Structure formats: C-alpha cells, structure tokens
Amino acid sequence: MLQDSKTCERCGRVIEWRRKWEKVWESIRYCSDACRRARLQPQDHALEASIIALLTKRAQHASICPSEAAREVDPVAWADHMEAARQAARRLTAKSQIEITQGGNVVDPSTAKGPIRLRRGRQFPIL
C-alpha cells in the first residue's frame, strides 16, 4: 500500500504522492529542486534545538514566536533566519514534537500564512 503523502526533509512542507513517482516514491525526500540543493545545514539543526530549548523553559501551555529561536541563533541578523525558523518549526511539527498555532488554534503548517506561534505538542510533550 502506498503512502499518500510525506514531509520534505528540508522545508517541512507536505509532498503529495503522484502517479509518476509510483516506482520511486520511497526515495522521494524533497519537495523541490531548491530543497534538494539546499539540504539541511548546521543552522537548521541549531534552530530546531533552539525551539525545543525555548519551549522547555516555558510553561506547558506557553508558546513562542519563531523569531525568538532566530534571535538565539543569530542575535544580529536574526531576520535573515525567519524562513529557516519556520521551516524548522514545520519539521518539528512533522515529528509531532510541537504544534503551530494562529490565534490559539492549531493550523496546517504547510498552508499557514502570516504570524504563527509554536507550542509543545499536546500528545508528545517535550521532556
């Protein structure tokens, strides 16, 4: 039985199954050529660790802005890391470690537009 979708290893967006990928579906890891070329960098792992560390320091139901993680990784040019911080949040959401919210409601990380907040996953809290 084929899986209908999977998550891009780089940006965390959903990759939908396509018939043309039927024979190679198991090897599909990235949603685009841009993600395939970029791959995961040390900065990406640092952003994931920063998000988890920030949430661990907060109360169980508290949330953070992705900019807080970007500021921890690079206090001077943090704005340049905002998209990477959102990507790190999507990857952590795919692993069920955190949830992405807007207005207090959980949203689909692949389609969320505008300001987002990050909080611990309800089913798999960070220890």
Side-chain angles (χ1 to χ4, degrees), residues 66-105:
S67 66
E68 294 178 53
R71 282 186 174 101
E72 272 201 3
V73 170
D74 188 350
V76 177
W78 63 270
D80 296 339
H81 302 286
M82 281 303 297
E83 182 55 31
R86 290 175 70 102
Q87 291 174 351
R90 285 193 297 264
R91 287 191 302 273
L92 290 170
T93 300
K95 297 175 191 173
S96 299
Q97 291 182 313
I98 68 168
E99 294 175 336
I100 296 178
T101 64
Q102 285 182 321
N105 300 316

Side-chain angles (χ1 to χ4, degrees), residues 49-60 64 120 126-127:
S50 178
I51 290 169
I52 290 172
L54 287 166
L55 288 173
T56 302
K57 294 176 189 173
R58 305 282 170 94
Q60 178 68 29
I64 64 167
R120 296 180 194 199
I126 299 169
L127 301 176

